[in-house]
Amino acid sequence: MTDNRDLTELPSPAVAGSTRTVVVPVGSFEQHGPHLPMNTDTRIASAVAHALPGVLIAPALEYGASGEHEGFPGTISIGAEVMEAVIVEFGRSAFHWAPRVLFVNGHGGNGPALAKAVALLRYEGRDAAWAPCAVPGADAHAGHTETSLLLHLEPECVNLDVAEMGNTSPIAELMPRLRAGGMAAVTENGILGDPLGATAHGGALIFGELVQRVSDGLDRWLPGPDGRLR
């Protein structure tokens, strides 16, 4: 049991005076290859949020800064500037009643906007922080890591029949071309990594590590200069 509460299921008086941290899943709506849904990041961030103990869970922010994926149909990005503004205004509003707010981020491209927004909220005296859904050694996009996670969390959303290997070059080598031309410049199928060996068992192990890392950061509550939990 995680003893968390979903804000969408509570009336206002049940929230008044709460000392619980409000956790906000932050995702994206972008291509994840031919085999994963476009809201993969939101699904993962929401699952991590719901696994945290003793928190209030806000509805997910389902659009993010995904401009690098706009070479693929279906992607909808609101851009980093709007993303930053949304996080700031969300925080300013929530802090009228919430003691703490933690943004759990499922999309790496949101990181710079989150860092700026949360740093501003903290400068304004609001106890906000953010944490990434990240584990060491993960591949970059729609590969082994994310496919394994969804096979564990929501296997009905994964179509392994059309899964295929993507660009497996180290992300550091790809970054110059990725920054210049987006994902379409470095991968034809939208995948950075190889989903073919993904398993639900592997996803369970990865998910457990994700939850533990975010939960430990929540317990310590030591935001860095950019608001990211350490």
Side-chain angles (χ1 to χ4, degrees), residues 5-230:
R5 308 288 300 278
D6 192 323
L7 280 174
T8 64
E9 299 175 356
L10 297 174
S12 178
V15 178
S18 174
T19 59
R20 296 181 183 222
T21 298
V22 175
V23 176
V24 189
V26 183
S28 68
F29 197 83
E30 63 189 35
Q31 69 82 25
H32 275 77
H35 64 295
L36 296 180
M38 286 186 284
N39 63 349
T40 288
D41 296 338
T42 307
R43 292 171 187 263
I44 293 170
S46 294
V48 171
H50 280 83
L52 298 175
V55 298
L56 291 173
I57 302 169
L61 300 177
E62 300 197 38
Y63 296 94
S66 302
E68 69 275 18
H69 294 274
E70 287 178 327
F72 294 86
T75 296
I76 300 174
S77 172
I78 61 173
E81 186 175 343
V82 171
M83 182 78 192
E84 182 181 344
V86 168
I87 296 296
V88 169
E89 294 306 322
F90 185 106
R92 287 172 175 167
S93 180
F95 276 108
H96 283 289
W97 53 270
R100 280 181 174 173
V101 175
L102 173 64
F103 298 94
V104 174
N105 180 40
H107 171 52
N110 294 335
L114 275 164
K116 290 180 181 180
V118 174
L120 176 59
L121 289 170
R122 295 192 62 77
Y123 175 79
E124 294 174 343
R126 298 174 172 93
D127 199 6
W130 69 283
C133 294
V135 293
D139 51 9
H141 188 75
H144 180 272
T145 303
E146 290 185 318
T147 303
S148 294
L149 281 167
L150 278 199
L151 283 172
H152 166 60
L153 295 169
E154 300 185 62
E156 68 279 4
C157 296
V158 182
N159 184 359
L160 287 179
D161 291 340
V162 295
E164 57 189 16
M165 182 185 295
N167 191 333
T168 57
S169 299
I171 187 65
E173 294 181 8
L174 300 176
M175 283 308 294
R177 283 191 292 150
L178 199 156
R179 289 194 180 101
M183 284 283 288
V186 295
T187 171
E188 293 184 2
N189 60 11
I191 301 171
L192 297 179
D194 185 1
L196 296 180
T199 66
H201 174 70
L205 296 176
I206 296 168
F207 184 69
E209 185 176 354
L210 275 179
V211 172
Q212 191 64 56
R213 290 168 71 88
V214 177
S215 182
D216 288 347
L218 179 62
D219 288 341
R220 289 190 298 265
W221 199 260
L222 295 172
D226 63 352
R228 178 171 169 168
L229 287 182
R230 295 176 287 186

